[in-house]
Amino acid sequence: MSSWGTLNFQEAASPLMEQLIMFHDHALVILAIVSTIVTYAMIKLLVNNFTCRTMLESQEVEMIWTILPAVVLIFLALPSLRLLYLLDEVSDPLITFKAVGHQWYWSYEFSDFMNLEFDSYMIPTEELSMGDYRLLEVDHRVVLPYGCNIRALVTSADVLHAWAVPALGLKIDAVPGRLNQLGFYMNRPGVFYGQCSEICGTNHSFMPIVIESVNLNSFIDWILEFSN
């Protein structure tokens, strides 16, 4: 859960988010090296009093500053393309659910279980219990099991929305008339918060997303209880 003093990513709760954090650190290392070299070269040029009035061009220097950036881009592109492939992969899901964006709340459908459907509204500030998070708690959480592949189908009933849960590395557009899908895997229990990440109107900031990760038996109990 992010707070006012959090500068880094949230603690990863899925392999996808772990890979995203690793790529972020990898890119930062390359950026730090490039920034250091460029800063050193600028300082040396500023303090250097020597000039060469006879040198009109240098093929060697031009080759170096053409090849080196290309090599750096390769070191960034290869893990980036691998990560994009992993994010788009939806392999043999055990559970499928559908998230539909509305102005301004989310509705969910579990068609694998007797067409279970419910709406998820933000709890107003005056109705929060002690310890609840303002603007993030909802009346009905999405309960999902950890340790298995899950597929989410995301769409919208009116305008553009975006279904995003940072701790799981999830963000997908909810487009009217179009069904987008993503797959994810949660590796630990917990409660993970997200929000609509596409400006969708005046109450855009008041349609949070809450996923509760539980074991498979607790998930089955929740399905049976909610269905009754």
Side-chain angles (χ1 to χ4, degrees), residues 61-207:
V61 174
E62 292 183 1
M63 288 182 61
I64 291 173
W65 71 36
T66 301
I67 294 175
L68 281 183
V71 173
V72 171
L73 290 177
I74 290 174
F75 274 96
L76 285 173
L78 292 181
S80 175
L81 293 174
R82 172 181 171 274
L83 189 54
L84 284 174
Y85 175 79
L86 290 175
L87 291 172
D88 287 338
E89 182 71 13
V90 180
S91 57
D92 194 22
L94 179 66
I95 295 169
T96 298
F97 72 95
K98 183 179 180 182
V100 182
H102 303 265
Q103 288 181 314
W104 288 270
Y105 65 97
W106 293 95
S107 64
Y108 298 94
E109 303 173 9
F110 287 79
S111 57
D112 296 337
F113 306 95
M114 300 169 287
N115 292 323
L116 174 63
E117 301 179 7
F118 60 91
D119 297 331
S120 182
Y121 288 90
M122 186 193 75
I123 299 178
T125 303
E126 59 273 10
E127 298 179 13
L128 291 175
S129 302
M130 183 66 68
D132 287 345
Y133 295 106
R134 177 178 171 270
L135 302 183
L136 288 178
E137 298 291 348
V138 295
D139 55 356
H140 294 111
R141 294 175 174 177
V142 182
V143 179
L144 295 170
Y146 63 86
C148 60
N149 292 322
I150 300 171
R151 176 173 59 183
L153 305 176
V154 182
T155 187
S156 172
D158 35 52
V159 299
L160 288 176
H161 300 278
W163 197 79
V165 184
L168 301 176
L170 304 178
K171 183 179 184 298
I172 184 170
D173 290 334
V175 183
R178 177 172 178 174
L179 204 60
N180 294 327
Q181 73 170 357
L182 56 79
F184 61 97
Y185 178 99
M186 296 183 292
N187 51 21
R188 61 181 174 87
V191 179
F192 310 115
Y193 296 88
Q195 291 175 300
C196 177
S197 298
E198 185 75 34
I199 296 178
C200 55
T202 56
N203 289 336
H204 159 69
S205 301
F206 306 105
M207 48 184 304

Side-chain angles (χ1 to χ4, degrees), residues 17-30:
M17 190 57 190
E18 292 174 356
Q19 293 292 324
L20 285 169
I21 293 175
M22 289 175 62
F23 176 71
H24 171 265
D25 296 341
H26 171 73
L28 277 186
V29 169
I30 294 177

